[in-house]
Amino acid sequence: MKKFVQEMTAKVLGGEGVCFDEALKMINIDEEDLESLEALFEGANKIREKFVGKKVDLCAIVNGKSGKCSENCKYCAQSAHYNTNVKEYPLLEHEEILPKALEAEAKGVTRFSIVTSGRGISNEELRKLTEIYRKLKKETKLELCASHGIISYEQAQSLKESGVSTYHHNLETSRRYYPNICTTHTYEDRINTIKNAQKAGLHICCGGIIGMGETPEDRVMMFFDIKELGARSVPINILNPIKGTPLENRKVLSPIEILKTIAVSRYILPKAYIRYAGGRTALGEKQIQGFKAGVNAALVGDYLTTVGNKIEEDKQMIRQVGLEV
């Protein structure tokens, strides 16, 4: 298996892509096959170095509107279908968002996103948001990203015109597993939103959540769909089981399973920003390993309803492995 991994590494470094079966074979490497795992992580690191260099992209988010979401995504604390005691509030004002953006910028973050709960956004919310983005564009040097659920082409156009450069919308899992996670909207709804954003000239940030009961094959399927969509940023979240949600008793993935998934994503998406996102504390002290197994971007600070790493800790970890912020 080690030889196979080395062959796959040479193939990608030579400018060819891995096929589905090859990626599947790598993600299924036995956790006890340490030699092959080492070759996989080293290979992903070499691919990252060749295609995207040493710079690590940092982004931060603000939970711009919390709770009362109409959708029934089984992992989400903000769904109105579950009792999770999450804090609920309407869309924040510009005066509440600006200090968070300035703080992130002062700490070396280059991208900032407002994230809102809900299936999508109303016309009134869109009006308020575009106003906020216009002001943030003038008041900071941050690259602005947006995450507002399912949107139309016209809404995507308005966001682009207000200064947003990237739209974030995850596939979350594979097409075949998606009905096990959400039934209030479809996988196709998500694909269409991404295409609407692209049509409006926005870059795409699109990833998913691992550890929701899907198989390694589902993860590979998801990464190939993301590749086909041409996403430049791919956030990988690890399920943090939240009390009150249907997935509250789901066992958290082992650090090796998480790292294998990350590494294989780099083989499939050699030129993308493979981005550490929510739940990465599940890796414990192995979190640093991700930066040596293909990761070249990170969502820093706190997340939507969970706590993340301190930004300075992340920067220290990045420098420790010889990468640059």
Side-chain angles (χ1 to χ4, degrees), residues 270-289:
K271 295 177 182 176
Y273 288 107
I274 303 294
R275 191 176 300 277
Y276 255 156
R280 60 184 162 109
T281 48
L283 283 162
E285 60 189 27
K286 284 193 164 65
Q287 212 175 128
I288 196 167
Q289 277 297 126

Side-chain angles (χ1 to χ4, degrees), residues 189-200:
D189 289 330
R190 288 184 173 260
I191 298 271
N192 288 339
T193 286
I194 290 162
K195 289 184 174 172
N196 286 336
Q198 286 174 318
K199 190 180 167 189

Side-chain angles (χ1 to χ4, degrees), residues 73-77 79 81-85 241-249:
C73 307
K74 289 183 180 175
Y75 52 81
C76 188
S79 171
H81 294 256
Y82 319 125
N83 183 18
T84 62
N85 297 316
I242 292 165
K243 194 168 169 48
T245 64
L247 299 182
E248 67 176 337
N249 296 317

